[in-house]
Amino acid sequence: GDSVTQMEGPVTLSEEAFLTINCTYTATGYPSLFWYVQYPGEGLQLLLKATKADDKGSNKGFEATYRKETTSFHLEKGSVQVSDSAVYFCALSDRRMGANYGGSQGNLIFGKGTKLSVKP
Amino acid sequence: DAGVIQSPRHEVTEMGQEVTLRCKPISGHDYLFWYRQTMMRGLELLIYFNNNVPIDDSGMPEDRFSAKMPNASFSTLKIQPSEPRDSAVYFCASRPGQGNDQPQHFGDGTRLSIL
């Protein structure tokens, strides 16, 4: 079945350091890919998305490029801030061509999350 | 616009009691999802609805769990009887329409503690 694998944390960085959180996926269809962020005590928020190969999603200085050849969607930021401390989730939403997959279409499959701590 | 609204934010109760969690999705969203988050198992999909109809409840852990969506603006997740292992954060999410490029919007969750 479809799955998402992301690097285990926790990741601890100093302010202004470069961030990479690796995410790879397996999918039998044509997935859209997402990064969600969860701040302490809050729900998940969409950070960015990409819906087809070679698309780059970006938001708040974060970027991720949909790489079909390596089935990856790594999250990057050039200079992290203390306020970026959170848990980051990679997710995919599968799209099947042809037959109507009805209710299974568009469900999110999440990675286990990577906790990022940024120190001043 | 108001986001997904969940209540209560925190619930502490003794085992054996009935627990009801509530969710108001974003207006106009056709899909509603219930998730459970724990340290051990991460984020798990319990059940989801499309146009108020339950589509897939294969993630519901056992018969003690039930979910309803009586109308487009309200859903409940009920646990009866509750057990300590049900302690978790429960999230509700909603999203619009068909297609896999629509993101889900999450509420702030209900932190449930069963003593």
Side-chain angles (χ1 to χ4, degrees):
Chain A
D2 297 351
S3 66
V4 173
T5 302
Q6 61 182 105
M7 63 186 288
E8 293 191 18
V11 174
T12 302
L13 296 173
S14 297
E15 207 165 22
E16 300 184 2
F18 184 86
L19 168 71
T20 299
I21 300 178
N22 290 338
C23 172
T24 58
Y25 67 90
T26 58
T28 53
Y30 300 85
S32 289
L33 302 173
F34 304 84
W35 277 100
Y36 281 81
V37 58
Q38 184 179 26
Y39 298 103
E42 298 184 11
L44 279 72
Q45 303 174 24
L46 177 68
L47 181 59
L48 53 84
K49 72 175 186 180
T51 59
K52 62 183 186 297
D54 299 326
D55 269 2
K56 177 185 285 187
S58 61
N59 186 25
K60 300 181 181 179
F62 291 89
E63 293 183 340
T65 300
Y66 188 140
R67 302 284 188 199
K68 189 176 179 182
E69 63 275 14
T70 55
T71 61
S72 65
F73 192 55
H74 304 322
L75 181 68
E76 296 181 337
K77 187 174 185 182
S79 176
V80 293
Q81 305 300 312
V82 172
S83 58
D84 294 327
S85 298
V87 180
Y88 292 81
F89 292 89
C90 185
L92 73 79
S93 178
D94 198 15
R95 177 178 67 221
R96 310 287 175 88
M97 299 294 286
N100 176 22
Y101 285 86
S104 66
Q105 185 180 39
N107 285 347
L108 286 177
I109 296 171
F110 286 93
K112 293 187 181 299
T114 302
K115 183 176 181 179
L116 170 66
S117 295
V118 181
K119 307 298 184 184
Chain B
D1 288 339
V4 175
I5 300 172
Q6 292 186 245
S7 64
R9 287 297 312 275
H10 303 274
E11 175 86 14
V12 180
T13 191
E14 294 187 348
M15 66 177 294
Q17 298 297 308
E18 178 179 291
V19 174
T20 299
L21 312 181
R22 297 173 176 80
C23 175
K24 177 179 169 57
I26 293 172
S27 177
H29 282 192
D30 297 330
Y31 287 82
L32 184 140
F33 305 80
W34 282 101
Y35 292 89
R36 178 172 69 177
Q37 186 178 38
T38 61
M39 290 293 291
M40 291 295 293
R41 292 187 297 270
L43 203 59
E44 304 172 278
L45 176 65
L46 301 177
I47 185 172
Y48 75 95
F49 296 81
N50 180 21
N51 291 323
N52 314 336
V53 177
I55 302 300
D56 185 353
D57 65 355
S58 59
M60 295 286 262
E62 48 196 276
D63 292 346
R64 297 185 297 106
F65 286 69
S66 62
K68 295 182 180 180
M69 192 165 186
N71 57 62
S73 59
F74 184 66
S75 177
T76 60
L77 178 67
K78 188 173 294 187
I79 309 172
Q80 167 63 17
S82 58
E83 296 182 4
R85 61 194 168 119
D86 302 330
S87 298
V89 181
Y90 291 81
F91 289 104
C92 177
S94 69
R95 75 167 173 85
Q98 288 281 340
N100 74 338
D101 59 342
Q102 297 289 340
Q104 294 182 16
H105 300 257
F106 283 75
D108 285 337
T110 295
R111 184 173 295 276
L112 177 64
S113 297
I114 308 297
L115 306 177

